[in-house]
Amino acid sequence: MTKPRSRRGGGRPTIADVARKAGVGAITVSRALREPGRVSEDLRRQIQAAVDELGYVPDPNARALASARAEVFGVLVPSLTNNVFAEVVRGIYDSLSDSPFRIQIGNTHYSGLEEERLLQVFGSQRPAALIVAGIDQTPGARRLLENAGCPVVQVMETGPDPVDMMVGFSHLDGGRTAAEHLLQAGYRKIGFIGARMDPRSQRRLAGYRAAMEAAGLFDPRLITTTPVPSSVTLGRELFRDALAKMPTLDGVFCNNDDIALGVLFECHRASIDVPKQIGIAGFNDLDMMQVSFPSITSVRTHRYEIGTRAVAMALAAIAGNRPEQRIVDLGFELMRRESTAR
Amino acid sequence: MTKPRSRRGGGRPTIADVARKAGVGAITVSRALREPGRVSEDLRRQIQAAVDELGYVPDPNARALASARAEVFGVLVPSLTNNVFAEVVRGIYDSLSDSPFRIQIGNTHYSGLEEERLLQVFGSQRPAALIVAGIDQTPGARRLLENAGCPVVQVMETGPDPVDMMVGFSHLDGGRTAAEHLLQAGYRKIGFIGARMDPRSQRRLAGYRAAMEAAGLFDPRLITTTPVPSSVTLGRELFRDALAKMPTLDGVFCNNDDIALGVLFECHRASIDVPKQIGIAGFNDLDMMQVSFPSITSVRTHRYEIGTRAVAMALAAIAGNRPEQRIVDLGFELMRRESTAR
DNA sequence: CAGACAAATGGTAGCGCTACCATGCAGAGC
DNA sequence: GCTCTGCATGGTAGCGCTACCATTTGTCTG
């Protein structure tokens, strides 16, 4: 009577097929695959042979449904093309490539609402862990993270109040360090040029401001920002705006390296000597900063490591030994180069 | 007797909860959510109210298991940080953001074996569609694609023998066009500098070679390549190698824009005049090429559109109307700039 | 050598959803 | 009046897997 539906799955082998072939129960196959230690050597070999012969691959959907837990890491980043986040994501992928965990990336487009929506979607899958960029979640997003029922790692930044765990560094300190370096190098009219101005950029700006105020040199007219997404082209344009506004500018701290590169190119074009007339400092230290002419001073951040570390912490939490240090500050490194060597 | 397991899912509402609250059958809820047209206006409203009140989000795992089809697009790219692929992925994400489809990205690290392994993993999920970069799959990977039981789109390149559908352009023509442009501009000793040398780079090289041979100017010593991953730093180094090997070089066609930028910086550093002494052409036309000083000639490719187009074709195929044109050539555009304006 | 206990294996009953097949009911056609 | 059709809705039976408990076997105690 129980006429089985005609194999909806298109004939791929199931755990029952493997069990039959190996002459064992389905549950034993399941165990052999997930906890090999709990199955005798003999059966394990037999089962492995059957798996290989049939080309069996477990259905992750069925697995997730039965165990109420999907082997998925949910990752939320504001941009896929921004090299900074791409590096973090690469670190995550590399750390997870030999594990059974899959990765699901969500692109929030720097929008809190979008982040909230994606968390809702991700939550419906009962992910094994969540990695989210930034610490400025909306109240709704924060609630979703707190109730996710899985380890959560906030990355890119550190802050006082983690949902669960954190890996990053202080953007405020990074901004201050860059500005202080420009001051030490002898620059005085140091501008800040920033695009996008997401929360991290805001904090770099705050660091710059703190340094300038401490030196008694702060002037709001030194700041040139835009909410427009960052690009090299935009860097050039913003620098021209900044110069028009304040022709006596003798240095710039750029929000990021794209902007810094745009500034450098404009200096070339306008025959402005770097570092003599203008000092330039960037942020993130992309590969090209050390090769450009002149090479550009930048704050090196450890993006790839942020990704690998976040995964390591999440994995530890999943395994039941939550790391003692819930907030990991990976710091940054000021790379002094020709562009500020006055 | 049938003591229900104590709600493994951690208490999130199920379709049965919604059905109870709305006073309808579970199947009607399912239908209201997936095919609203088949449920009466009244019930639809009632059900929507219950969904909203309970905060119900369907479990994609259960859905996939029951329907033998996951609402997932599998995407396979060789790199996550290479801007070229990041742009394609961004196009895919943007095109799918309002659909119920999730995206799963695999990073093949330019390895055919890894690609095969990932296809195996992806296949176990019964994805709704697969988008893979490149056309040079291993025989095993090709078989997996052919038996995937879903639309498949190969992207980045066009070729004669699609698994299913294709969106891209001819890298050979692109390479030839760049080389011909350099020749027309009056350069004669035109080098080729390439890193990574994946199949697409190989075809750009072949295009370059064809142009040079047609002009009777080909010389194998003009070619400088390495399997090392591409970077601006590497561009500088390879250019120095190329110059050491052939000091009379008067032009270079670079594999990609990173390399071209490295070449430009080295020219600045060595006081080589661009475009007078050396002409430079890149590939892909990243944003910065138009801003650099001098601006750099490059072959513009339509990465974002490749992503959006691939999704559109896959979506059409899923909906049952497979596009007539199975191979879409999005072409490229030579952007002539200062670096080759002799 | 009985009893206790651990290790290895299996059976059963779902996980939350949808495919498939009823069922009920209104209107159409004879 | 009756059957026939088509539409809206519901019930049942799984999808492929694992949690939970039961069973079997072997090993160790006293």
Side-chain angles (χ1 to χ4, degrees):
Chain A
M1 255 65 325
T2 49
K3 172 174 43 131
R5 216 173 307 185
S6 64
R7 257 320 179 34
R8 294 198 282 216
R12 42 171 68 248
T14 73
I15 202 169
D17 299 327
V18 176
R20 207 171 309 119
K21 175 149 244 145
V24 299
I27 193 69
T28 306
V29 175
S30 175
R31 262 197 290 260
L33 262 28
R34 290 177 304 138
E35 312 166 85
R38 293 193 40 194
V39 174
S40 70
E41 178 75 32
D42 267 15
L43 284 192
R44 215 158 45 199
R45 250 204 310 276
Q46 239 166 285
I47 289 169
Q48 190 53 53
V51 165
D52 291 343
E53 192 176 339
L54 293 171
Y56 170 73
V57 183
D59 181 333
N61 298 118
R63 193 171 257 191
L65 185 58
S67 64
R69 185 53 70 200
E71 290 185 316
V72 170
F73 269 55
V75 178
L76 245 36
V77 290
S79 161
L80 295 166
T81 42
N82 183 330
N83 175 276
V84 170
F85 299 107
E87 284 283 344
V88 174
V89 169
R90 187 168 68 87
I92 294 172
Y93 265 79
D94 286 358
S95 301
L96 247 22
S97 66
D98 289 329
S99 80
F101 293 101
R102 289 166 292 153
I103 296 163
Q104 178 151 3
I105 302 180
N107 181 358
T108 67
H109 292 99
Y110 291 92
S111 151
L113 249 62
E114 186 63 8
E115 182 171 49
E116 216 171 307
R117 193 185 69 80
L118 286 167
L119 279 174
Q120 189 88 23
V121 173
F122 279 22
S124 69
Q125 296 182 64
R126 311 162 193 289
L130 286 171
I131 298 177
V132 301
I135 61 177
D136 304 278
Q137 280 77 29
T138 62
R142 201 177 162 98
R143 206 170 322 116
L144 284 165
L145 286 172
E146 280 160 356
N147 300 330
C150 68
V152 173
V153 190
Q154 290 163 291
V155 296
M156 299 313 292
E157 283 190 84
T158 51
D161 186 25
V163 170
D164 183 3
M165 295 177 282
M166 265 183 182
V167 189
F169 62 95
S170 164
H171 290 252
L172 191 138
D173 289 351
R176 179 164 40 209
T177 300
E180 282 170 352
H181 166 69
L182 283 161
L183 286 165
Q184 252 168 10
Y187 299 101
R188 285 294 165 266
K189 293 261 194 186
I190 303 164
F192 177 93
I193 298 184
R196 177 72 77 179
M197 297 313 290
D198 60 27
R200 287 164 292 286
S201 294
Q202 300 278 8
R203 282 189 267 271
R204 287 175 212 160
L205 169 55
Y208 152 87
R209 182 172 178 157
M212 294 296 281
E213 282 177 343
L217 291 168
F218 180 70
D219 181 338
R221 287 171 304 164
L222 288 166
I223 296 174
T224 309
T225 65
T226 166
V228 170
S230 169
S231 71
V232 181
T233 308
L234 187 62
R236 178 186 175 190
E237 287 164 14
L238 291 177
F239 179 57
R240 290 161 82 166
D241 293 351
L243 266 188
K245 206 163 49 181
M246 182 154 294
T248 55
L249 215 60
D250 69 354
V252 282
F253 167 45
C254 304
N255 176 45
N256 66 41
D257 287 345
D258 287 344
I259 301 290
L261 197 61
V263 171
L264 177 66
F265 283 136
E266 178 58 18
C267 286
H268 281 171
R269 207 167 276 278
S271 296
I272 298 171
D273 189 287
V274 178
K276 282 221 186 68
Q277 287 178 261
I278 292 260
I280 304 175
F283 203 95
N284 281 323
D285 198 31
L286 302 186
D287 157 57
M288 51 191 164
M289 305 316 271
Q290 68 179 97
V291 197
S292 67
F293 180 74
S295 59
I296 302 178
T297 294
S298 190
V299 176
R300 173 172 294 180
T301 56
H302 308 291
R303 284 105 51 195
Y304 185 83
E305 286 72 24
I306 286 178
T308 55
R309 193 63 172 270
V311 168
M313 291 171 79
L315 248 23
I318 291 169
N321 36 22
R322 213 164 256 287
E324 258 175 54
Q325 212 186 337
R326 293 164 75 101
I327 303 180
V328 174
D329 188 340
L330 255 28
F332 53 82
E333 214 176 325
L334 179 71
M335 309 302 289
R336 293 154 211 261
R337 300 222 179 81
E338 295 161 353
S339 71
T340 55
R342 179 129 86 166
Chain B
M1 256 73 307
T2 48
K3 173 172 44 129
R5 217 175 306 186
S6 64
R7 257 315 178 38
R8 294 198 282 216
R12 41 171 68 252
T14 73
I15 202 168
D17 298 327
V18 176
R20 206 170 310 117
K21 174 148 243 144
V24 300
I27 193 70
T28 306
V29 175
S30 174
R31 260 196 292 260
L33 262 29
R34 289 177 304 137
E35 312 165 84
R38 292 193 42 197
V39 174
S40 70
E41 178 75 32
D42 268 14
L43 284 191
R44 213 160 45 200
R45 250 204 311 275
Q46 241 166 285
I47 289 168
Q48 189 55 51
V51 165
D52 291 341
E53 191 175 340
L54 293 171
Y56 170 72
V57 183
D59 181 333
N61 299 119
R63 194 171 255 191
L65 184 59
S67 65
R69 183 55 70 198
E71 290 185 315
V72 170
F73 268 55
V75 178
L76 246 37
V77 290
S79 160
L80 295 167
T81 42
N82 183 331
N83 175 277
V84 170
F85 298 107
E87 283 283 345
V88 173
V89 169
R90 187 168 67 89
I92 294 172
Y93 265 79
D94 286 358
S95 302
L96 246 24
S97 65
D98 289 327
S99 80
F101 292 101
R102 289 167 292 154
I103 296 164
Q104 177 150 5
I105 302 180
N107 181 355
T108 67
H109 292 99
Y110 292 92
S111 151
L113 248 61
E114 186 62 8
E115 181 171 52
E116 217 171 308
R117 193 186 68 79
L118 286 167
L119 279 174
Q120 189 89 23
V121 172
F122 280 23
S124 68
Q125 296 182 63
R126 311 162 195 289
L130 286 170
I131 298 177
V132 301
I135 62 176
D136 304 278
Q137 280 76 29
T138 62
R142 201 177 162 96
R143 206 169 322 114
L144 284 166
L145 286 172
E146 280 161 355
N147 299 330
C150 68
V152 173
V153 190
Q154 290 163 292
V155 295
M156 299 314 292
E157 283 190 84
T158 51
D161 187 24
V163 170
D164 183 2
M165 295 176 282
M166 264 182 182
V167 189
F169 62 95
S170 164
H171 290 251
L172 191 138
D173 288 352
R176 177 162 43 208
T177 300
E180 282 171 352
H181 166 69
L182 282 161
L183 287 165
Q184 253 168 9
Y187 299 101
R188 285 294 165 267
K189 291 263 194 186
I190 304 165
F192 177 94
I193 298 184
R196 177 71 78 180
M197 296 314 288
D198 60 27
R200 287 165 293 285
S201 293
Q202 301 279 7
R203 282 189 267 271
R204 289 175 210 160
L205 170 54
Y208 153 89
R209 181 171 179 158
M212 293 296 281
E213 282 177 343
L217 291 170
F218 180 71
D219 181 338
R221 287 170 304 165
L222 288 167
I223 296 174
T224 308
T225 66
T226 166
V228 170
S230 169
S231 71
V232 181
T233 309
L234 188 62
R236 178 186 176 189
E237 286 164 14
L238 291 177
F239 179 56
R240 289 161 82 165
D241 293 352
L243 266 188
K245 205 162 52 182
M246 181 154 293
T248 55
L249 215 59
D250 69 354
V252 283
F253 167 45
C254 304
N255 177 43
N256 66 40
D257 288 345
D258 287 344
I259 301 290
L261 197 60
V263 171
L264 177 66
F265 284 136
E266 177 58 17
C267 287
H268 281 173
R269 209 167 274 278
S271 297
I272 297 171
D273 189 288
V274 178
K276 282 220 184 70
Q277 286 178 263
I278 291 260
I280 304 175
F283 204 95
N284 281 322
D285 197 31
L286 302 187
D287 157 58
M288 53 191 165
M289 306 317 270
Q290 67 179 95
V291 196
S292 67
F293 180 75
S295 60
I296 302 177
T297 295
S298 190
V299 176
R300 171 172 295 179
T301 56
H302 308 291
R303 284 103 53 193
Y304 185 82
E305 287 71 25
I306 286 177
T308 56
R309 193 62 172 269
V311 168
M313 291 171 80
L315 248 22
I318 290 169
N321 36 23
R322 213 164 256 287
E324 257 174 55
Q325 211 185 335
R326 294 164 73 103
I327 302 179
V328 174
D329 187 338
L330 255 27
F332 53 83
E333 214 177 325
L334 178 71
M335 308 302 289
R336 293 155 212 260
R337 301 222 178 82
E338 295 162 354
S339 71
T340 56
R342 179 128 88 167

